Amino acid sequence: MSLPNQLQDTFSPKELQFMVENEPIKIFPRFTTRQRIRKQRNDLLGTDSHRWKMMTMDDTSLNNMMAMQSTTVTLWIALLLKQQSKCNIIAPEWLTSKALDRALQFEQTNTLRFSPLPWDWLIISEILFKKAPDDFHDRVHELRSKIQDLREIRQLKVAKGIRYMNESHLQLDNLSLLEINELRPFISGIMDKLRDIHLAAVDAGGEDEMMGEEDDNDEMFNGTMRNESSRMS
Amino acid sequence: MSLDIDDILAELDRDTTAVEMSSEGPKQPGNDSMDILNSSLDGTKTVANGRSTSLKPKIISPVEDFNKLVTLWKNERCSPELLPYPHQLMRRMLIRIEEQMEHLEILSMNFFEESTNGGSSANGKRNSNAPANNNKMLPLLCMEAELERVKFVIRSYIRCRLSKVDKYSIYLRQINEQFLTEELEEDDMDNENRISPLETLMSSEEIQYHQRHFSLLLNLLNESVLKYMSDDLQAINDTEGSVNMVDEPDWNKFVFVKVIGPPTGENDFDPLLIHKLDPERYYYSITIPETNEDIELIIGSIYIVRYNLIKDLLKDDKIELI
C-alpha cells in the first residue's frame, strides 16, 4: 500500500534515472561563479546569497566555475544548467563513435562476455541524447543506432544466458543497471521457483534410492552451470 | 580558512576573467575600502562556519551521508526483510534539510527585496544587471531542486519500510515478544542496557505505527471472523499446522548483489576476505548449506545469490544490493 505493487520487485526506470543523475559528469560552464565572491563583497550584501551551499555534494567546484573551463559536477546539476543554456556537457569518453565501435567489436568477438561499459551506459546515453544532443561531436543518430545495436546484441546474450539459471547462484559481471533491473523480477522469480523445486526434490528423495541419482544429476547441472556462468562473466 | 581561499580566488579573478571584470569597472578603484569590507565580512562568515561545523562533526561529511542514504534506500528496496533503521544518519539528514530550508527561505526573501528595490531605483542599471540576476537565481534553483531530491529519497525509503512493517506485522510482533520473555527469564541481568530488537530495527515513529497497525489488524480479524470460531482456532500466530500463519521474510529469496569489499578499503585487514594470488583476486567465500557448494564472491563482481547467505556481509556494508 505504502509502496505501489509495481515498485515492490524492482525499481522504476525513473528511479534508475534518479540514481544515475547523482553521478558526476564533466561540463563547460558558460558563466563564472568565482567572480561572484568579490562582487558580493562589493555590493555589501554580507550574506552568502549567491553562493552554492549544497547538502548532497561537494560545492567547491560549483563555487569555482570559470566560463569555458571544464569542471566536474553532478549530472542533474549539469542537466539543469544545460536547460538554462548555461553550460555544455562533455560527452563521456565511451560515448563516442569510435569507443562504441570498439565495444560492439568486443561484443561480437566474445559471445559469452559483456563488454565493460559503465554500469549506467544505457541511461546516460538516453539522457544525453534527449537533453544535450547538440553537445556531441559525432552525429547523434549514428551514436543512437550504435547504442541500439549494443543493446540488442547484449539482450541476445542475456536471453541465451537464461538457460543457465539454477537454484544455486549466478555471476553476471558488467551487466548494467537497467539490464539488471529489467531482468530482476523474472530471474529472481524463476530462481526462487527452481530453489523450491530443488528443495522439494531433495525432501521427496529422502532416504530413497532415488536420492543418489538425483544428486548426480544435480552435480552435473551445477557443474555445467558453473563453467558457463564463469564464462559468461 | 574560508577567508584565505576567498582572497586567493579574488586574486585569481582579477587576472583571468577580463570580460566580467570590465563590467565591474566602476567598483574596482576602492581597493582599501574593499579590504575593510572583506575583513568584516569574513568575521561574520567564520562565525557562521564555526557554528555549522560544530553541528556536523568533522569526520561525517554530508556528501557521504547522502550516498549512504541512497545505498540504504536501494538495499531496503531489494532486501526481503526490514533492515535496521539508521537512527543517527536520519537525524543528521533531517537536521540538514531543516537548515537548508531555512537558508533557502532567507535567500529567496533577499531576492524579493533586491528585485523590488532594484525596480524602484535607476532603471538603466537594472537592465544591465538582468542576466547577472538570472545567474544569481541559479544556485537557488539548484538548491531547491536538491532539497526535493533528498526529500524524495527519504520519502521513498520510509514508504518502503512502512510497506514491510505492514507485511511482517505479526512477525515483528513475535520478535518483540520473544525478546520480552527472554528478558523476564534473565531477570536482573543488566536489563536497562538491553535494547529491544524493534528499537534498533525501527524508528520510534515506525514502532508507533506498527503497534497501531497491529491492533487495527487484530481488531478487524477478531470482529469479522475470529470471534465466530471456536477458541482453539482463534490464534493468528499458529505455526503448528501445515502452513505457517506468521508471514516471515523469504530469507532465501534470490537477490542481485554487488561485492564492495570492506568499507575502509583495506582489503588486507578484513579477516573474512580471502586473498588468492593466482589469479590475483580478493573474495568472500560463502557456502550453500544444502549442497555444500562454495561460492566465491569476488570484489567488484555482480552475483545473484540467496539473501540468507549474504545477510551478514550486507549488514557490514561489504556488499550492496542492486
Side-chain angles (χ1 to χ4, degrees):
Chain A
M1 250 178 293
S2 45
L3 190 69
N5 256 340
Q6 68 265 26
L7 297 182
Q8 297 270 359
D9 294 331
T10 194
F11 293 100
S12 76
K14 280 196 175 148
E15 284 172 321
L16 290 187
Q17 186 176 340
F18 176 87
M19 290 175 206
V20 171
E21 277 173 356
N22 288 327
E23 296 295 308
I25 194 161
K26 276 189 174 172
I27 59 164
F28 280 127
R30 287 194 195 160
F31 64 112
T32 306
T33 47
R34 271 188 194 179
Q35 182 78 14
R36 280 214 211 97
I37 297 157
R38 202 173 30 125
K39 202 191 273 174
Q40 162 201 334
R41 288 174 182 177
N42 285 345
D43 55 11
L44 246 174
L45 257 175
T47 54
D48 287 345
S49 61
H50 317 312
R51 300 207 59 179
W52 303 67
K53 180 171 164 281
M54 308 302 272
M55 47 193 303
T56 63
M57 63 190 81
D58 193 2
D59 45 18
T60 44
S61 74
L62 287 171
N63 279 318
N64 288 313
M65 279 195 281
M66 306 267 284
M68 294 326 282
Q69 265 188 32
S70 78
T71 179
T72 306
V73 297
T74 314
L75 179 58
W76 67 266
I77 293 251
L79 294 175
L80 210 143
L81 294 179
K82 175 77 191 165
Q83 209 178 13
Q84 310 270 329
S85 46
K86 294 279 183 226
C87 79
N88 290 85
I89 294 173
I90 305 171
E93 273 163 38
W94 55 268
L95 196 53
T96 56
S97 221
K98 265 187 193 166
L100 289 180
D101 275 336
R102 242 176 288 139
L104 263 175
Q105 193 94 40
F106 185 95
E107 298 283 357
Q108 275 157 358
T109 45
N110 301 283
T111 48
L112 284 169
R113 289 157 67 95
F114 294 108
S115 55
L117 285 164
W119 66 293
D120 49 7
W121 66 281
L122 262 169
I123 302 165
I124 289 263
S125 56
E126 186 58 35
I127 293 174
L128 292 187
F129 289 157
K130 211 190 259 171
K131 300 270 176 72
D134 49 331
D135 286 343
F136 288 101
H137 292 298
D138 310 283
R139 263 179 246 149
V140 174
H141 69 267
E142 272 175 26
L143 291 176
R144 205 187 270 274
S145 80
K146 273 170 193 155
I147 291 282
Q148 184 65 28
D149 287 349
L150 267 174
R151 170 134 174 81
E152 276 166 15
I153 199 168
R154 284 166 73 109
Q155 258 175 338
L156 198 70
K157 281 184 200 177
V158 169
K160 273 185 185 165
I162 280 176
R163 68 195 182 102
Y164 303 123
M165 264 198 302
N166 58 80
E167 80 296 331
S168 143
H169 74 286
L170 210 58
Q171 187 178 358
L172 302 157
D173 287 354
N174 287 329
L175 210 57
S176 79
L177 191 60
L178 192 75
E179 289 162 319
I180 285 174
N181 204 57
E182 65 185 9
L183 281 171
R184 192 199 322 268
F186 179 71
I187 289 200
S188 64
I190 297 290
M191 282 178 80
D192 285 345
K193 288 272 183 315
L194 281 172
R195 177 201 69 200
D196 292 345
I197 291 171
H198 180 78
L199 259 179
V202 172
D203 282 351
E207 294 123 34
D208 210 293
E209 282 170 311
M210 285 293 287
M211 184 66 190
E213 208 179 312
E214 193 78 38
D215 246 13
D216 281 352
N217 282 342
D218 223 60
E219 210 77 31
M220 242 169 64
F221 186 42
N222 277 342
T224 47
M225 179 285 308
R226 219 174 297 131
N227 286 342
E228 297 296 353
S229 76
S230 51
R231 261 195 281 157
M232 258 185 73
S233 60
Chain B
M1 275 294 281
S2 66
L3 184 153
D4 298 346
I5 291 169
D6 287 352
D7 281 344
I8 293 162
L9 294 181
E11 274 314 309
L12 278 176
D13 286 342
R14 238 162 264 161
D15 304 330
T16 45
T17 52
V19 184
E20 292 194 34
M21 278 284 292
S22 62
S23 67
E24 285 290 295
K27 283 171 186 170
Q28 197 53 37
N31 246 344
D32 297 338
S33 63
M34 203 178 89
D35 281 342
I36 296 163
L37 283 181
N38 281 353
S39 57
S40 66
L41 263 182
D42 286 326
T44 58
K45 215 184 271 171
T46 42
V47 170
N49 271 355
R51 201 183 47 202
S52 63
T53 43
S54 70
L55 270 174
K56 303 162 205 156
K58 254 183 187 174
I59 319 142
I60 301 156
S61 87
V63 183
E64 272 167 35
D65 272 358
F66 178 69
N67 292 340
K68 177 80 189 151
L69 181 71
V70 173
T71 312
L72 281 174
W73 169 56
K74 286 194 257 186
N75 288 348
E76 192 72 60
R77 284 289 293 276
C78 296
S79 85
E81 68 163 330
L82 187 70
L83 296 170
Y85 182 81
H87 293 273
Q88 296 296 324
L89 175 74
M90 215 51 166
R91 199 170 302 142
R92 288 201 298 270
M93 280 323 280
L94 292 178
I95 287 174
R96 248 171 243 148
I97 288 180
E98 213 134 287
E99 277 181 356
Q100 186 79 336
M101 272 161 73
E102 271 170 31
H103 180 66
L104 285 180
E105 204 156 297
I106 293 166
L107 278 194
S108 46
M109 261 165 54
N110 278 350
F111 272 118
F112 183 71
E113 272 171 28
E114 246 177 77
S115 59
T116 47
N117 287 345
S120 57
S121 67
N123 256 332
K125 244 188 188 175
R126 175 144 170 71
N127 283 342
S128 67
N129 276 346
N133 248 344
N134 190 15
N135 272 357
K136 280 182 200 169
M137 285 303 283
L138 267 181
L140 192 65
L141 202 67
C142 286
M143 285 189 273
E144 271 168 0
E146 184 194 40
L147 198 63
E148 289 309 313
R149 291 174 74 86
V150 179
K151 281 190 196 164
F152 164 75
V153 179
I154 291 180
R155 224 176 284 143
S156 180
Y157 179 60
I158 301 283
R159 288 177 81 104
C160 177
R161 291 180 59 85
L162 286 184
S163 87
K164 282 185 190 172
V165 173
D166 281 358
K167 205 171 164 190
Y168 304 124
S169 191
I170 302 175
Y171 169 74
L172 289 170
R173 175 115 186 151
Q174 247 183 3
I175 296 182
N176 205 33
E177 272 166 11
Q178 253 169 31
F179 166 78
L180 289 176
T181 48
E182 269 171 36
E183 197 170 58
L184 276 179
E185 280 161 22
E186 282 179 28
D187 232 13
D188 44 10
M189 289 275 283
D190 53 12
N191 263 343
E192 287 134 46
N193 292 338
R194 286 188 63 187
I195 311 162
S196 85
L198 285 196
E199 272 164 33
T200 51
L201 212 55
M202 299 193 273
S203 68
S204 56
E205 289 88 356
E206 282 168 342
I207 291 179
Q208 218 173 34
Y209 171 81
H210 171 237
Q211 276 165 352
R212 279 200 206 144
H213 178 264
F214 183 78
S215 62
L216 280 174
L217 182 72
L218 200 65
N219 206 17
L220 172 74
L221 291 175
N222 274 332
E223 290 298 313
S224 58
V225 185
L226 292 177
K227 71 174 177 186
Y228 303 111
M229 314 265 270
S230 63
D231 284 353
D232 54 329
L233 291 177
Q234 281 189 1
I236 53 156
N237 53 355
D238 186 3
T239 51
E240 302 291 303
S242 56
V243 179
N244 191 346
M245 272 187 177
V246 182
D247 257 342
E248 260 187 60
D250 183 1
W251 298 106
N252 273 324
K253 189 179 166 53
F254 279 96
V255 287
F256 287 69
V257 303
K258 178 158 192 182
V259 189
I260 303 296
T264 48
E266 289 161 325
N267 287 344
D268 293 320
F269 291 101
D270 189 352
L272 284 174
L273 202 60
I274 300 165
H275 184 197
K276 271 234 175 89
L277 285 172
D278 185 34
E280 165 110 30
R281 63 180 190 271
Y282 286 94
Y283 65 88
Y284 295 102
S285 181
I286 53 173
T287 312
I288 301 176
E290 301 137 36
T291 53
N292 273 332
E293 188 187 351
D294 288 332
I295 307 173
E296 292 178 3
L297 297 181
I298 302 166
I299 287 185
S301 291
I302 296 166
Y303 297 87
I304 311 173
V305 286
R306 298 179 195 187
Y307 180 73
N308 223 358
L309 300 176
I310 48 94
K311 212 167 63 183
D312 295 332
L313 289 175
L314 178 70
K315 285 189 177 142
D316 292 341
D317 294 328
K318 285 165 183 168
I319 60 163
E320 278 175 21
L321 301 183
I322 49 171

